[in-house]
mmCIF file of all heavy atoms in Angstrom:
data_model
loop_
_atom_site.group_PDB
_atom_site.id
_atom_site.type_symbol
_atom_site.label_atom_id
_atom_site.label_comp_id
_atom_site.label_asym_id
_atom_site.label_seq_id
_atom_site.Cartn_x
_atom_site.Cartn_y
_atom_site.Cartn_z
ATOM 1 N N LEU A 186 82.453 58.711 60.262
ATOM 2 C CA LEU A 186 82.624 60.111 59.885
ATOM 3 C C LEU A 186 83.903 60.341 59.085
ATOM 4 O O LEU A 186 84.040 61.356 58.405
ATOM 5 C CB LEU A 186 82.666 60.998 61.144
ATOM 6 C CG LEU A 186 81.431 60.941 62.044
ATOM 7 C CD1 LEU A 186 81.667 61.760 63.306
ATOM 8 C CD2 LEU A 186 80.204 61.441 61.311
ATOM 9 N N LEU A 187 84.849 59.383 59.168
ATOM 10 C CA LEU A 187 86.120 59.481 58.452
ATOM 11 C C LEU A 187 86.426 58.138 57.791
ATOM 12 O O LEU A 187 85.961 57.099 58.270
ATOM 13 C CB LEU A 187 87.253 59.845 59.425
ATOM 14 C CG LEU A 187 87.196 61.226 60.091
ATOM 15 C CD1 LEU A 187 88.275 61.335 61.153
ATOM 16 C CD2 LEU A 187 87.360 62.337 59.064
ATOM 17 N N PRO A 188 87.206 58.144 56.707
ATOM 18 C CA PRO A 188 87.576 56.870 56.061
ATOM 19 C C PRO A 188 88.358 55.976 57.009
ATOM 20 O O PRO A 188 89.073 56.460 57.893
ATOM 21 C CB PRO A 188 88.448 57.315 54.880
ATOM 22 C CG PRO A 188 88.116 58.740 54.655
ATOM 23 C CD PRO A 188 87.735 59.314 55.988
ATOM 24 N N THR A 189 88.255 54.678 56.814
ATOM 25 C CA THR A 189 88.907 53.707 57.694
ATOM 26 C C THR A 189 90.423 53.833 57.626
ATOM 27 O O THR A 189 91.005 53.874 56.553
ATOM 28 C CB THR A 189 88.502 52.276 57.291
ATOM 29 O OG1 THR A 189 87.090 52.174 57.331
ATOM 30 C CG2 THR A 189 89.102 51.249 58.234
ATOM 31 N N LYS A 190 91.045 53.917 58.811
ATOM 32 C CA LYS A 190 92.503 53.972 58.932
ATOM 33 C C LYS A 190 92.911 53.049 60.072
ATOM 34 O O LYS A 190 92.145 52.799 60.993
ATOM 35 C CB LYS A 190 92.981 55.401 59.231
ATOM 36 C CG LYS A 190 92.750 56.376 58.093
ATOM 37 C CD LYS A 190 93.248 57.753 58.472
ATOM 38 C CE LYS A 190 93.035 58.741 57.349
ATOM 39 N NZ LYS A 190 91.607 58.982 57.080
ATOM 40 N N GLY A 191 94.133 52.583 60.021
ATOM 41 C CA GLY A 191 94.612 51.670 61.052
ATOM 42 C C GLY A 191 95.189 52.401 62.241
ATOM 43 O O GLY A 191 96.368 52.233 62.564
ATOM 44 N N LEU A 192 94.381 53.216 62.903
ATOM 45 C CA LEU A 192 94.844 53.958 64.084
ATOM 46 C C LEU A 192 94.135 53.455 65.328
ATOM 47 O O LEU A 192 92.920 53.279 65.327
ATOM 48 C CB LEU A 192 94.584 55.451 63.916
ATOM 49 C CG LEU A 192 95.561 56.248 63.052
ATOM 50 C CD1 LEU A 192 95.100 57.686 62.942
ATOM 51 C CD2 LEU A 192 96.973 56.197 63.613
ATOM 52 N N THR A 193 94.898 53.265 66.375
ATOM 53 C CA THR A 193 94.312 52.818 67.639
ATOM 54 C C THR A 193 93.763 54.013 68.423
ATOM 55 O O THR A 193 94.067 55.163 68.119
ATOM 56 C CB THR A 193 95.374 52.099 68.494
ATOM 57 O OG1 THR A 193 96.477 52.998 68.691
ATOM 58 C CG2 THR A 193 95.862 50.839 67.800
ATOM 59 N N LEU A 194 92.980 53.694 69.449
ATOM 60 C CA LEU A 194 92.478 54.719 70.358
ATOM 61 C C LEU A 194 93.478 54.837 71.509
ATOM 62 O O LEU A 194 93.648 53.883 72.276
ATOM 63 C CB LEU A 194 91.094 54.323 70.876
ATOM 64 C CG LEU A 194 90.333 55.358 71.701
ATOM 65 C CD1 LEU A 194 90.072 56.618 70.882
ATOM 66 C CD2 LEU A 194 88.999 54.784 72.186
ATOM 67 N N PRO A 195 94.158 55.976 71.638
ATOM 68 C CA PRO A 195 95.215 56.103 72.653
ATOM 69 C C PRO A 195 94.739 55.716 74.051
ATOM 70 O O PRO A 195 93.628 56.053 74.460
ATOM 71 C CB PRO A 195 95.571 57.591 72.603
ATOM 72 C CG PRO A 195 95.216 58.021 71.223
ATOM 73 C CD PRO A 195 93.992 57.219 70.865
ATOM 74 N N LEU A 196 95.595 54.965 74.748
ATOM 75 C CA LEU A 196 95.401 54.566 76.152
ATOM 76 C C LEU A 196 94.318 53.508 76.349
ATOM 77 O O LEU A 196 94.207 52.954 77.438
ATOM 78 C CB LEU A 196 95.072 55.781 77.034
ATOM 79 C CG LEU A 196 96.102 56.903 77.030
ATOM 80 C CD1 LEU A 196 95.565 58.126 77.750
ATOM 81 C CD2 LEU A 196 97.393 56.438 77.681
ATOM 82 N N LEU A 197 93.535 53.212 75.327
ATOM 83 C CA LEU A 197 92.436 52.253 75.476
ATOM 84 C C LEU A 197 92.610 51.002 74.619
ATOM 85 O O LEU A 197 92.316 49.899 75.071
ATOM 86 C CB LEU A 197 91.095 52.918 75.139
ATOM 87 C CG LEU A 197 90.618 53.997 76.104
ATOM 88 C CD1 LEU A 197 89.307 54.613 75.606
ATOM 89 C CD2 LEU A 197 90.414 53.435 77.502
ATOM 90 N N SER A 198 93.075 51.165 73.394
ATOM 91 C CA SER A 198 93.230 50.020 72.503
ATOM 92 C C SER A 198 94.325 49.087 73.001
ATOM 93 O O SER A 198 95.320 49.522 73.572
ATOM 94 C CB SER A 198 93.560 50.480 71.086
ATOM 95 O OG SER A 198 92.469 51.138 70.499
ATOM 96 N N TYR A 199 94.139 47.789 72.728
ATOM 97 C CA TYR A 199 95.140 46.790 73.090
ATOM 98 C C TYR A 199 96.401 46.980 72.256
ATOM 99 O O TYR A 199 96.325 47.335 71.087
ATOM 100 C CB TYR A 199 94.573 45.386 72.836
ATOM 101 C CG TYR A 199 95.576 44.276 73.020
ATOM 102 C CD1 TYR A 199 95.809 43.728 74.269
ATOM 103 C CD2 TYR A 199 96.287 43.789 71.930
ATOM 104 C CE1 TYR A 199 96.727 42.706 74.443
ATOM 105 C CE2 TYR A 199 97.207 42.772 72.084
ATOM 106 C CZ TYR A 199 97.425 42.231 73.340
ATOM 107 O OH TYR A 199 98.339 41.222 73.497
ATOM 108 N N GLY A 200 97.552 46.737 72.851
ATOM 109 C CA GLY A 200 98.806 46.818 72.112
ATOM 110 C C GLY A 200 99.968 47.181 73.011
ATOM 111 O O GLY A 200 99.812 47.964 73.955
ATOM 112 N N GLY A 201 101.128 46.613 72.721
ATOM 113 C CA GLY A 201 102.290 46.859 73.568
ATOM 114 C C GLY A 201 102.992 48.160 73.270
ATOM 115 O O GLY A 201 103.106 49.042 74.132
ATOM 116 N N SER A 202 103.476 48.341 72.034
ATOM 117 C CA SER A 202 104.254 49.528 71.693
ATOM 118 C C SER A 202 103.403 50.796 71.741
ATOM 119 O O SER A 202 103.887 51.854 72.137
ATOM 120 C CB SER A 202 104.870 49.373 70.294
ATOM 121 O OG SER A 202 103.854 49.157 69.323
ATOM 122 N N GLY A 203 102.118 50.690 71.335
ATOM 123 C CA GLY A 203 101.237 51.859 71.362
ATOM 124 C C GLY A 203 101.004 52.364 72.775
ATOM 125 O O GLY A 203 101.125 53.568 73.049
ATOM 126 N N ILE A 204 100.673 51.453 73.668
ATOM 127 C CA ILE A 204 100.449 51.826 75.075
ATOM 128 C C ILE A 204 101.730 52.384 75.689
ATOM 129 O O ILE A 204 101.704 53.359 76.452
ATOM 130 C CB ILE A 204 99.949 50.606 75.883
ATOM 131 C CG1 ILE A 204 98.521 50.236 75.464
ATOM 132 C CG2 ILE A 204 100.008 50.888 77.373
ATOM 133 C CD1 ILE A 204 97.469 51.237 75.874
ATOM 134 N N LEU A 205 102.864 51.768 75.348
ATOM 135 C CA LEU A 205 104.149 52.233 75.881
ATOM 136 C C LEU A 205 104.421 53.669 75.442
ATOM 137 O O LEU A 205 104.803 54.514 76.255
ATOM 138 C CB LEU A 205 105.271 51.310 75.404
ATOM 139 C CG LEU A 205 106.690 51.674 75.873
ATOM 140 C CD1 LEU A 205 106.790 51.627 77.392
ATOM 141 C CD2 LEU A 205 107.717 50.736 75.239
ATOM 142 N N ALA A 206 104.202 53.961 74.158
ATOM 143 C CA ALA A 206 104.427 55.315 73.650
ATOM 144 C C ALA A 206 103.484 56.315 74.309
ATOM 145 O O ALA A 206 103.890 57.432 74.666
ATOM 146 C CB ALA A 206 104.242 55.339 72.135
ATOM 147 N N ASN A 207 102.218 55.929 74.504
ATOM 148 C CA ASN A 207 101.249 56.796 75.177
ATOM 149 C C ASN A 207 101.678 57.095 76.608
ATOM 150 O O ASN A 207 101.599 58.243 77.059
ATOM 151 C CB ASN A 207 99.874 56.152 75.195
ATOM 152 C CG ASN A 207 99.260 55.969 73.826
ATOM 153 O OD1 ASN A 207 98.394 55.128 73.630
ATOM 154 N ND2 ASN A 207 99.692 56.742 72.840
ATOM 155 N N CYS A 208 102.133 56.072 77.311
ATOM 156 C CA CYS A 208 102.546 56.251 78.713
ATOM 157 C C CYS A 208 103.796 57.124 78.818
ATOM 158 O O CYS A 208 103.911 57.939 79.741
ATOM 159 C CB CYS A 208 102.782 54.892 79.371
ATOM 160 S SG CYS A 208 101.276 53.946 79.668
ATOM 161 N N ILE A 209 104.734 56.959 77.884
ATOM 162 C CA ILE A 209 105.935 57.807 77.880
ATOM 163 C C ILE A 209 105.542 59.263 77.660
ATOM 164 O O ILE A 209 106.039 60.176 78.335
ATOM 165 C CB ILE A 209 106.925 57.339 76.790
ATOM 166 C CG1 ILE A 209 107.529 55.990 77.183
ATOM 167 C CG2 ILE A 209 108.032 58.375 76.576
ATOM 168 C CD1 ILE A 209 108.361 55.346 76.090
ATOM 169 N N ALA A 210 104.612 59.494 76.711
ATOM 170 C CA ALA A 210 104.160 60.861 76.433
ATOM 171 C C ALA A 210 103.508 61.484 77.657
ATOM 172 O O ALA A 210 103.776 62.644 78.002
ATOM 173 C CB ALA A 210 103.186 60.858 75.260
ATOM 174 N N LEU A 211 102.655 60.712 78.337
ATOM 175 C CA LEU A 211 101.984 61.241 79.529
ATOM 176 C C LEU A 211 102.969 61.477 80.669
ATOM 177 O O LEU A 211 102.807 62.424 81.449
ATOM 178 C CB LEU A 211 100.875 60.288 79.981
ATOM 179 C CG LEU A 211 99.647 60.224 79.075
ATOM 180 C CD1 LEU A 211 98.583 59.327 79.699
ATOM 181 C CD2 LEU A 211 99.063 61.610 78.829
ATOM 182 N N SER A 212 103.995 60.624 80.759
ATOM 183 C CA SER A 212 105.004 60.828 81.812
ATOM 184 C C SER A 212 105.785 62.120 81.566
ATOM 185 O O SER A 212 106.117 62.844 82.504
ATOM 186 C CB SER A 212 105.952 59.624 81.876
ATOM 187 O OG SER A 212 106.752 59.541 80.718
ATOM 188 N N VAL A 213 106.067 62.426 80.290
ATOM 189 C CA VAL A 213 106.733 63.690 79.954
ATOM 190 C C VAL A 213 105.827 64.866 80.310
ATOM 191 O O VAL A 213 106.275 65.876 80.874
ATOM 192 C CB VAL A 213 107.092 63.725 78.447
ATOM 193 C CG1 VAL A 213 107.592 65.116 78.042
ATOM 194 C CG2 VAL A 213 108.142 62.674 78.124
ATOM 195 N N LEU A 214 104.536 64.724 80.006
ATOM 196 C CA LEU A 214 103.573 65.783 80.333
ATOM 197 C C LEU A 214 103.497 66.010 81.843
ATOM 198 O O LEU A 214 103.472 67.157 82.315
ATOM 199 C CB LEU A 214 102.191 65.398 79.791
ATOM 200 C CG LEU A 214 101.100 66.466 79.818
ATOM 201 C CD1 LEU A 214 101.486 67.667 78.968
ATOM 202 C CD2 LEU A 214 99.778 65.882 79.340
ATOM 203 N N LEU A 215 103.496 64.929 82.609
ATOM 204 C CA LEU A 215 103.471 65.038 84.069
ATOM 205 C C LEU A 215 104.754 65.679 84.595
ATOM 206 O O LEU A 215 104.734 66.428 85.570
ATOM 207 C CB LEU A 215 103.276 63.654 84.692
ATOM 208 C CG LEU A 215 101.887 63.043 84.530
ATOM 209 C CD1 LEU A 215 101.881 61.583 84.980
ATOM 210 C CD2 LEU A 215 100.852 63.835 85.317
ATOM 211 N N ARG A 216 105.882 65.389 83.933
ATOM 212 C CA ARG A 216 107.150 65.994 84.353
ATOM 213 C C ARG A 216 107.132 67.508 84.122
ATOM 214 O O ARG A 216 107.610 68.277 84.966
ATOM 215 C CB ARG A 216 108.304 65.366 83.563
ATOM 216 C CG ARG A 216 109.657 65.996 83.863
ATOM 217 C CD ARG A 216 110.106 65.726 85.289
ATOM 218 N NE ARG A 216 111.245 66.557 85.661
ATOM 219 C CZ ARG A 216 111.941 66.408 86.781
ATOM 220 N NH1 ARG A 216 111.607 65.470 87.648
ATOM 221 N NH2 ARG A 216 112.956 67.192 87.051
ATOM 222 N N ILE A 217 106.579 67.921 82.987
ATOM 223 C CA ILE A 217 106.467 69.358 82.705
ATOM 224 C C ILE A 217 105.600 70.031 83.762
ATOM 225 O O ILE A 217 105.921 71.110 84.271
ATOM 226 C CB ILE A 217 105.888 69.590 81.291
ATOM 227 C CG1 ILE A 217 106.864 69.062 80.233
ATOM 228 C CG2 ILE A 217 105.614 71.074 81.052
ATOM 229 C CD1 ILE A 217 106.282 69.012 78.837
ATOM 230 N N ASP A 218 104.489 69.381 84.121
ATOM 231 C CA ASP A 218 103.598 69.915 85.147
ATOM 232 C C ASP A 218 104.314 69.988 86.494
ATOM 233 O O ASP A 218 104.183 70.970 87.233
ATOM 234 C CB ASP A 218 102.349 69.033 85.251
ATOM 235 C CG ASP A 218 101.337 69.572 86.241
ATOM 236 O OD1 ASP A 218 101.043 70.787 86.182
ATOM 237 O OD2 ASP A 218 100.847 68.794 87.078
ATOM 238 N N PHE A 219 105.107 68.954 86.801
ATOM 239 C CA PHE A 219 105.868 68.915 88.055
ATOM 240 C C PHE A 219 106.859 70.078 88.132
ATOM 241 O O PHE A 219 106.971 70.757 89.156
ATOM 242 C CB PHE A 219 106.599 67.567 88.146
ATOM 243 C CG PHE A 219 107.574 67.471 89.291
ATOM 244 C CD1 PHE A 219 107.125 67.292 90.603
ATOM 245 C CD2 PHE A 219 108.938 67.554 89.063
ATOM 246 C CE1 PHE A 219 108.023 67.205 91.651
ATOM 247 C CE2 PHE A 219 109.840 67.462 90.111
ATOM 248 C CZ PHE A 219 109.379 67.291 91.409
ATOM 249 N N GLU A 220 107.557 70.319 87.013
ATOM 250 C CA GLU A 220 108.529 71.417 86.984
ATOM 251 C C GLU A 220 107.832 72.774 87.086
ATOM 252 O O GLU A 220 108.351 73.697 87.728
ATOM 253 C CB GLU A 220 109.360 71.325 85.711
ATOM 254 C CG GLU A 220 110.287 70.129 85.690
ATOM 255 C CD GLU A 220 111.112 70.039 84.418
ATOM 256 O OE1 GLU A 220 110.938 70.905 83.538
ATOM 257 O OE2 GLU A 220 111.927 69.103 84.316
ATOM 258 N N ASN A 221 106.669 72.898 86.457
ATOM 259 C CA ASN A 221 105.897 74.149 86.579
ATOM 260 C C ASN A 221 105.553 74.440 88.032
ATOM 261 O O ASN A 221 105.677 75.575 88.506
ATOM 262 C CB ASN A 221 104.598 74.048 85.769
ATOM 263 C CG ASN A 221 104.827 74.126 84.267
ATOM 264 O OD1 ASN A 221 105.865 74.590 83.821
ATOM 265 N ND2 ASN A 221 103.857 73.671 83.507
ATOM 266 N N ARG A 222 105.107 73.404 88.738
ATOM 267 C CA ARG A 222 104.698 73.581 90.143
ATOM 268 C C ARG A 222 105.887 73.966 91.018
ATOM 269 O O ARG A 222 105.761 74.783 91.927
ATOM 270 C CB ARG A 222 104.033 72.302 90.660
ATOM 271 C CG ARG A 222 102.696 71.994 89.984
ATOM 272 C CD ARG A 222 102.165 70.621 90.392
ATOM 273 N NE ARG A 222 101.015 70.248 89.609
ATOM 274 C CZ ARG A 222 99.754 70.556 89.906
ATOM 275 N NH1 ARG A 222 99.500 71.265 90.995
ATOM 276 N NH2 ARG A 222 98.761 70.161 89.143
#
Side-chain angles (χ1 to χ4, degrees):
L186 301 175
L187 294 172
T189 303
K190 293 180 180 66
L192 281 177
T193 57
L194 188 61
L196 302 171
L197 292 177
S198 292
Y199 173 86
S202 58
I204 290 291
L205 180 61
N207 295 157
C208 289
I209 290 172
L211 289 184
S212 68
V213 171
L214 190 61
L215 288 171
R216 176 67 192 189
I217 295 169
D218 183 47
F219 172 76
E220 291 180 359
N221 287 341
R222 293 172 189 272

